[in-house]
Amino acid sequence: MVYNNRGMFAEEIINRSISYFQGKVYIEKRELKIKIIKSQNNDLIVGKLLGKSFVDYFGFYNQIHFEFEVKQTEKEYFDINLIKKHQLEHLKNISALGVKSFIIVYMYKYDKFYVIPYLLLQQYIDDANRQKIPVEVLNKISKTHEIIYPGVINFVDICKSL
């Protein structure tokens, strides 16, 4: 099976989860800054990105500020190169300020979401300049979350583990 939607499945689950846990956890998806250049036939819009994006989401839970990036893979490992350098830099900078930062990786093969704290991710990268995280390592350095309700993961549990 080939997944060419570049993260749309995982983000759809995250977005449904945000709606489901509304009022318990505040999470917002960052919007890309785009300048619309022209519209064609009301079906196609041509635009230009105005700058680099940060990470996908930010939020608050019990007065804790957090930010995270969402990725997905069909492989048996997570390729760290899927995270853009400026996104890693953003996670590093906000982590240094006390913001809880992490990556959520969805692995199709295991039908699980892995929540990887930024500091553990960076430690893994720094150790021998690694670029891939096998699922065995993900099981050690992250917390796994399964879909608990049709199309929903438990954001309260994720936030409590921060």
Side-chain angles (χ1 to χ4, degrees), residues 76-78 107 124 130 132-139:
E76 294 184 16
Y77 60 86
F78 173 62
M107 297 188 83
Y124 184 81
R130 295 180 174 137
K132 295 179 181 174
I133 307 175
V135 71
E136 299 81 21
V137 174
L138 279 173
N139 286 323

Side-chain angles (χ1 to χ4, degrees), residues 55-72:
V55 291
D56 292 329
Y57 297 88
F58 68 94
F60 297 91
Y61 176 75
N62 283 349
Q63 300 178 351
I64 297 170
H65 176 198
F66 58 88
E67 298 195 19
F68 62 97
E69 178 67 17
V70 177
K71 300 294 181 190
Q72 65 187 35

Side-chain angles (χ1 to χ4, degrees), residues 1-160:
M1 185 178 289
V2 178
Y3 302 94
N4 291 326
N5 59 6
R6 297 183 50 97
M8 293 309 295
F9 175 79
E11 285 194 20
E12 179 62 29
I13 297 296
I14 299 298
N15 294 339
R16 284 185 198 166
S17 302
I18 290 168
S19 294
Y20 185 82
F21 286 100
Q22 188 174 17
K24 296 178 182 173
V25 177
Y26 177 82
I27 302 172
E28 191 170 312
K29 174 138 175 66
R30 280 204 169 91
E31 299 297 327
L32 290 174
K33 295 177 184 177
I34 300 173
K35 178 180 179 182
I36 297 175
I37 298 171
K38 64 181 175 178
S39 177
Q40 299 174 341
N41 302 330
N42 293 330
D43 290 339
L44 178 66
I45 295 175
V46 178
K48 177 182 176 183
L49 287 175
L50 296 176
K52 294 179 180 178
S53 65
F54 292 107
V55 291
D56 292 329
Y57 297 88
F58 68 94
F60 297 91
Y61 176 75
N62 283 349
Q63 300 178 351
I64 297 170
H65 176 198
F66 58 88
E67 298 195 19
F68 62 97
E69 178 67 17
V70 177
K71 300 294 181 190
Q72 65 187 35
T73 183
E74 60 188 70
K75 298 183 167 77
E76 294 184 16
Y77 60 86
F78 173 62
D79 185 347
I80 296 167
N81 292 314
L82 292 174
I83 307 169
K84 296 178 178 105
K85 290 183 183 187
H86 71 274
Q87 291 173 321
L88 279 173
E89 189 67 25
H90 176 75
L91 292 171
K92 175 184 175 183
N93 292 338
I94 64 171
S95 182
L97 295 171
V99 175
K100 302 294 182 182
S101 55
F102 54 95
I103 306 291
I104 296 179
V105 176
Y106 178 70
M107 297 188 83
Y108 283 104
K109 184 168 184 146
Y110 305 102
D111 195 26
K112 290 185 182 177
F113 288 84
Y114 294 81
V115 177
I116 311 163
Y118 166 75
L119 293 175
L120 290 175
L121 175 68
Q122 191 59 54
Q123 181 180 2
Y124 184 81
I125 293 169
D126 291 345
D127 185 20
N129 197 25
R130 295 180 174 137
Q131 294 302 309
K132 295 179 181 174
I133 307 175
V135 71
E136 299 81 21
V137 174
L138 279 173
N139 286 323
K140 292 178 185 175
I141 68 170
S142 67
K143 184 168 180 174
T144 61
H145 294 272
E146 296 180 11
I147 296 173
I148 59 165
Y149 186 73
V152 173
I153 60 172
N154 193 333
F155 259 106
V156 171
D157 281 353
I158 289 172
C159 291
K160 284 180 179 178

